[in-house]
Amino acid sequence: MTALRQRKGGRGKEPPLGAEFQSQQSNCCSDHHPENILHGDWSWGVIIWTSVGWSVSVGLGLLCCIYMATLHENDLWFSNIKEVEREISFRTECGLYYSYYKQMLQAPSIQEGLSDLIHDNLTESKRTINLLQRMNIYQEVFLSVLYRLLPIQSYLEPVYFYIYTVFSLQAVYVIALYLTAWLLSGSWLAGTLTGIWYILNRVDTTRVEFTISLRENWSMPFLALQVTAITCYLRPQLTDLQQKVMVWLMYVTTFCFCLTWQFNQFILLVQALIIYSLDCLDFLTTTQVTTLYLVQVSSLLSVWLLQFCNSMILGSLVLSFIVAALFIRHCQSGLKTGSPLVRLGRLLLHSAMVLLLTVTINYLAKKALQLRSDEHIFKFIKSKFALGPTRDFDASLYLCEEAFGLLPFDTLERLAGTLLLYPYILTLLVLSGTLAVAALHNLRVKGGAAEERKGAVEGRAGALRPDVAYNLLHTLFFGLLAFSTMRMKYIWTGHMCAVAAYGVCGKELWTLLLSTLRCNSKVLLRLVRYAVPLLVIACLYYKFWPKLMEELSELREFYDPDTVELMTWISTKTPKRAVFAGSMQLLAGIKLCTGRVLTNHPHYEDKDLRERTKQVYQVYARRSPEEVYDIMKAMGADYVVLENSICYERRHRRGCRLRDLLDLANGHIMDGDGENDQDLVPATHPRFCEEVKTDAVSYTALFTRTFQNKTFHVYRVKKKRKKSTKSSPEPSTSQQQDQAL
């Protein structure tokens, strides 16, 4: 209320838009808000009601944790299958990350385990790499050390300690979303509705039950906690001490988020754009903007130090953008002065200068660091929006996967089925309109640096608090990201639950609706705010409780005998230092189950590894046995594993099968009926993965079949090429490969 009294003090400025409405918002603490105790309200009613709210948040978090763990157990019968089957269940890159947890536990000591990770020569043959620098595996290191130190080895297996930790983070995730909704609305009923929606929309909010080790399952709870801390930090009622506490919480949560996911820089870039937009629209003070930027920078630099000066972080777009935004903002001191048209023109010029400086800084940084680790991501973005060539192998690998396509319509149908989509859209429309009106009002209000005082946010934001404005732009920006790339929906849908619950339980929408109906009163407002969420919860319980019970009663069992047979054969019939070549996904499992050396793996954020993977995949292209042999020997491979599911793939359409991508990259005509580009030519050799099975002399002279079942064929690469083998008829292509290797 301090800011309102300042406005009435006759300073000669235009009164804030929606001042009466803001007064209702400022009275949010009259409800049972989580901040009440912090502000000295120690009445029994507040203490009891707040305690109930916290208890419900913990209860919902534990319910989500137990629910996910039960689904995982029921789907795999995890407690009853063999250890090799448990490890095979960690599919693709999940197996690679879990293998380092296993490796740390098997090391004679923590020090030796860390040394092996820093000087690793098992993950990529003929190379020694620093895994702590290359990958985000500090969580595996931390858990392995914790498991060694805690007295739990006698009654809790290492794998259960790992998966229970990940499922527990889901509880943290739900609690963070719960607190965000509670802070926004002032009612813990909003948090309750958020948690329920998150659980009911499990298919679209998380995939933790079948991709346990994925980096996003570690990082998303910390991102949600960071959003909660930002929401609390932007509330105007905080004291200086409370703001400092929030800043530290923002730093810690942002640091943990960045440390656990290699794509942190792209998520933080979106956040930086949100902060920049709020700054331009005059919703945040200079201190708040600078603090939020510096929290991001300090977190990234801390991770940069822990990851042994990983150049990918220094060359990230988000760091370049923040430096550019702060520098241009410092140089343009009169940005927020003048008439509305002048201010708008200055903002456009300011944004153009920030964009230009960002591109320049990022280009120079990557040139200086010789950074090419993340170029495949930009190739994917260019190809996705038709801004670049579509034959690039790395970009096509992403474009052809459904997860990297547009958000399918059935996602919205499922969200609507749980009554989540409708209040979310309504909340979005009302808040977006309020944001636009408040932004226009801020443009009309004259003032400069003098107006950037501590209470300015309350006055100028009018009907929209800065914490609400941040969460609105957060859900809008990440919603657009989710619609463009389906895999990013998991960042959006969880926060979507909190925004929708805020719309149902907050005062803003109901005040507007009741005022429109000319029946607005405090009693009716409070009645509606509590009755409607309770009614929604009752409807959800009636509709979905039987379905949840039916889902929990479904019992399945892990069954993959061909892969089990392969892993058993590798463990018992091949040397411990044998080098295996094959698909990225399979090799991750081989690393986990057998500990053998790999030629390539699914962690794709390295240019040399991407080139190496493309070369290994030539076993599925139309290449001569001599060329494939040379590639395998150059990488030190002793065995190559061929998968029928890739060689005869039918899952993808023509043009997206792996063999098609290789044909296009090699300039060859694709298999099957359909059009081909005019510059493509017929290959001079049959497809290697098919022809090697015929046991022709030219193939048996170089490769010996050592294992096969219905799914896999394993060939041993012979030590020396026999003189009778023919030279390659495609010397130019082979020379290019040798140069790349």
Side-chain angles (χ1 to χ4, degrees), residues 321-442:
F321 175 80
I322 292 174
V323 171
L326 289 175
F327 179 77
I328 298 296
R329 198 181 198 280
H330 176 74
C331 294
Q332 287 188 311
S333 57
L335 179 65
K336 299 180 180 179
T337 58
S339 64
L341 286 178
V342 171
R343 291 184 67 179
L344 184 60
R346 286 176 175 171
L347 282 177
L348 293 176
L349 177 62
H350 175 81
S351 299
M353 292 175 65
V354 169
L355 177 62
L356 180 61
L357 187 57
T358 299
V359 173
T360 303
I361 293 175
N362 192 253
Y363 175 80
L364 294 176
K366 288 187 175 179
K367 281 292 182 182
L369 298 169
Q370 297 182 338
L371 178 63
R372 304 185 70 182
S373 298
D374 57 354
E375 65 179 10
H376 65 298
I377 298 174
F378 295 102
K379 287 181 181 178
F380 160 70
I381 294 173
K382 289 179 182 178
S383 301
K384 186 176 181 66
F385 297 102
L387 300 175
T390 55
R391 280 194 194 175
D392 183 81
F393 179 76
D394 298 323
S396 298
L397 277 179
Y398 287 100
L399 288 170
C400 287
E401 288 298 326
E402 183 183 2
F404 293 94
L406 298 176
L407 188 73
F409 184 74
D410 61 354
T411 302
L412 300 180
E413 291 179 341
R414 289 193 298 270
L415 296 175
T418 58
L419 307 180
L420 171 61
L421 187 63
Y422 305 117
Y424 174 76
I425 293 177
L426 183 60
T427 304
L428 223 59
L429 291 174
V430 173
L431 292 182
S432 298
T434 307
L435 177 75
V437 173
L440 291 174
H441 173 74
N442 291 342

Side-chain angles (χ1 to χ4, degrees), residues 169-178 198 205 220-221 224 490-491 494:
L169 283 175
Q170 285 295 300
V172 175
Y173 195 1
V174 170
I175 292 173
L177 295 174
Y178 181 105
Y198 180 88
T205 54
M220 290 301 295
Y490 299 104
I491 305 175

Side-chain angles (χ1 to χ4, degrees), residues 484-553:
S484 67
T485 307
M486 186 184 76
R487 186 176 178 180
M488 296 294 106
K489 73 176 180 178
Y490 299 104
I491 305 175
W492 173 56
T493 47
H495 188 259
M496 178 185 184
C497 298
V499 172
Y502 161 64
V504 173
C505 302
K507 290 184 176 181
E508 286 77 2
L509 267 76
W510 293 116
T511 300
L512 179 64
L513 179 61
L514 294 177
S515 298
T516 304
L517 298 176
R518 301 181 184 277
C519 56
N520 190 19
S521 67
K522 289 184 178 181
V523 175
L524 184 59
L525 176 63
R526 177 166 295 207
L527 177 64
V528 170
R529 286 183 61 215
Y530 288 107
V532 172
L534 289 174
L535 182 62
V536 172
I537 292 173
C539 290
L540 293 175
Y541 175 84
Y542 177 78
K543 182 178 180 180
F544 289 100
W545 182 256
K547 294 181 180 179
L548 287 179
M549 293 299 100
E550 181 181 355
E551 184 181 33
L552 291 174
S553 65

Side-chain angles (χ1 to χ4, degrees), residues 453-465:
R453 61 190 184 277
K454 188 175 179 180
V457 174
E458 297 146 284
R460 294 202 315 275
L464 199 66
R465 305 191 313 261

Side-chain angles (χ1 to χ4, degrees), residues 385 424 474-485 488 492:
F385 297 102
Y424 174 76
H474 185 98
T475 192
L476 283 174
F477 278 51
F478 283 104
L480 292 174
L481 185 62
F483 272 93
S484 67
T485 307
M488 296 294 106
W492 173 56

Side-chain angles (χ1 to χ4, degrees), residues 548-603:
L548 287 179
M549 293 299 100
E550 181 181 355
E551 184 181 33
L552 291 174
S553 65
E554 293 178 358
L555 302 178
R556 302 181 184 88
E557 182 179 359
F558 175 87
Y559 185 74
D560 191 355
D562 290 346
T563 306
V564 171
E565 185 183 10
L566 172 67
M567 298 303 175
T568 304
W569 178 83
I570 293 175
S571 297
T572 57
K573 302 296 183 181
T574 64
K576 291 186 177 181
R577 299 292 295 185
V579 180
F580 278 80
S583 69
M584 296 183 289
Q585 297 82 358
L586 179 64
L587 290 185
I590 291 176
K591 172 77 167 62
L592 171 59
C593 298
T594 70
R596 299 306 188 262
V597 185
L598 313 180
T599 56
N600 54 301
H601 53 82
H603 195 275

